[in-house]
Amino acid sequence: MTTETRHNPQAWLDHHGDVLFRFALARVGNSTAAEDLVQDTLLAALRNRASFAERSAERTWLVGILKHRIADHYRELARQLVVAENAADEASGGFSRGGKWLRPPRAWQAPDSALASVEFAAILRDCLAGLPERSAAALTLRESAGMSGEEICKELQVTPTHLWTLLHRARMRLRECLEVRWFCGDARGSDKRKGN
Amino acid sequence: MAKLRDILRILATPCREATQLISRAQDETLDWPLRAAIRVHTAYCSKCRRFRHQLQVMRDALGGLADEGHDGGTAELSREARERIGKTLHSAGETGQ
């Protein structure tokens, strides 16, 4: 690769855009945020191209920048914490005062075929995007990036107790969303499944 | 010997606490009284049994998103996003020179 292509941001986008996008998506679970991170990364690369070490591969260099951007993204989420989660507290009930289910889980139809379905994946992403961002980040790091609780606590700067709460809330809300929008949807939902 | 308090707690766990424990059990190995509480509760509570099963389905589904995300995955930048980023880079490149 010539020096010219290496310093050409359009070429970075062409050659590495999808890889950077996938890397970000697996860690933030939200395509809009992932797109923004790719853009920020390439802009930062453009500003700092003079510092690009000749010996390191271009993609490694870009992924390194992206990792820093993702860490910044989590820190930003940490700042947004308080407001979003007080609101979530009220909504996270779902149980009576005595601790009984108010809307008990319903039977999910054909979970195996859901896992293989592209439409289901789209709804899953949509439901994730509807969660408070920090809950979604915690759940994505845990389940999609496969990080341990300890690692996530460091990444999101939370205590273990707080992390359980974030994960539990995320799971409760995601469960309800999937149940309503896919597994036990209204007539429209069952028509869609028949059509598959 | 288990304390009486532990035993009572295990027998009387309401669904709200049981779901919290079931969720936590996905992330760490719980102490035995908590594991026992889950086991006893789900033995008689079909709702929380169903909940536990659904968490597993969600775990598989979210794991599938990661496969899409890694190298060799299928997720791609949309054409709109690609164009938008391209334009931004272009103008930043011009003004940055």
Side-chain angles (χ1 to χ4, degrees):
Chain A
M1 196 176 283
T2 67
T3 309
E4 212 164 306
T5 51
R6 196 162 51 215
H7 283 176
N8 178 353
Q10 184 60 47
W12 296 336
L13 180 59
D14 293 344
H15 293 136
H16 311 300
D18 286 334
V19 171
L20 295 173
F21 177 67
R22 284 197 280 273
F23 188 92
L25 187 60
R27 282 157 187 81
V28 300
N30 168 332
S31 29
T32 313
E35 287 166 9
D36 289 348
L37 285 164
V38 171
Q39 175 166 306
D40 289 351
T41 297
L42 295 178
L43 285 172
L46 182 63
R47 283 194 298 275
N48 298 307
R49 58 185 154 180
S51 70
F52 173 54
E54 295 292 326
R55 65 183 178 282
S56 85
E58 190 171 70
R59 181 169 293 179
T60 314
W61 177 60
L62 292 171
V63 169
I65 299 175
L66 176 59
K67 281 181 185 168
H68 281 109
R69 296 281 140 181
I70 291 173
D72 287 346
H73 176 74
Y74 290 140
R75 271 194 284 279
E76 182 54 36
L77 291 184
R79 276 194 287 275
Q80 295 167 6
L81 163 73
V82 187
V83 185
E85 276 167 21
N86 286 348
D89 259 341
E90 292 162 29
S92 75
F95 293 95
S96 71
R97 218 173 264 188
K100 294 204 168 94
W101 288 94
L102 291 176
R103 294 177 302 280
R106 289 186 279 163
W108 283 7
Q109 301 159 19
D112 288 342
S113 66
L115 294 181
S117 153
V118 179
E119 289 167 48
F120 174 76
I123 288 190
L124 177 60
R125 280 194 194 294
D126 219 40
C127 286
L128 269 178
L131 298 178
E133 253 187 297
R134 258 161 80 88
S135 287
L139 193 64
T140 307
L141 289 175
R142 178 77 189 105
E143 307 288 6
S144 301
M147 285 168 65
S148 71
E150 213 175 311
E151 289 169 316
I152 302 172
C153 285
K154 253 188 232 158
E155 190 89 45
L156 294 179
Q157 302 174 12
V158 294
T159 63
T161 313
H162 190 179
L163 179 64
W164 298 327
T165 312
L166 284 175
L167 287 172
H168 180 56
R169 263 187 213 150
R171 289 180 176 129
M172 294 299 277
R173 294 182 61 156
L174 186 63
R175 196 203 69 75
E176 280 219 71
C177 183
L178 292 176
E179 183 161 298
V180 170
R181 297 207 35 203
W182 181 269
F183 289 108
C184 308
D186 49 16
R188 202 171 32 134
S190 40
D191 283 343
K192 189 179 60 197
R193 272 196 300 280
K194 267 182 230 150
N196 279 347
Chain B
M1 265 304 276
K3 288 185 195 131
L4 181 62
R5 206 182 49 192
D6 281 339
I7 305 236
L8 286 177
R9 199 172 142 208
I10 287 167
L11 292 176
T13 307
C15 295
R16 180 178 46 220
E17 278 71 25
T19 56
Q20 286 165 2
L21 293 177
I22 290 167
S23 179
R24 252 179 81 182
Q26 290 222 316
D27 305 313
E28 60 170 328
T29 309
L30 300 175
D31 293 340
W32 81 260
L34 300 179
R35 288 205 307 275
I38 293 178
R39 200 170 292 186
V40 170
H41 185 90
T42 52
Y44 66 80
C45 178
S46 61
K47 296 167 187 169
C48 289
R49 216 158 46 231
R50 187 174 269 171
F51 173 76
R52 185 176 57 185
H53 172 68
Q54 292 175 348
L55 286 197
Q56 195 53 52
V57 173
M58 282 164 44
R59 167 156 283 185
D60 294 344
L62 289 163
L65 286 190
D67 297 339
E68 266 181 63
H70 289 152
D71 273 351
T74 52
E76 287 179 356
L77 278 172
S78 66
R79 218 185 50 188
E80 294 80 13
R82 193 176 277 280
E83 280 172 10
R84 193 174 62 238
I85 295 172
K87 272 186 203 152
T88 309
L89 286 174
H90 185 70
S91 55
E94 280 179 348
T95 54
Q97 293 303 321

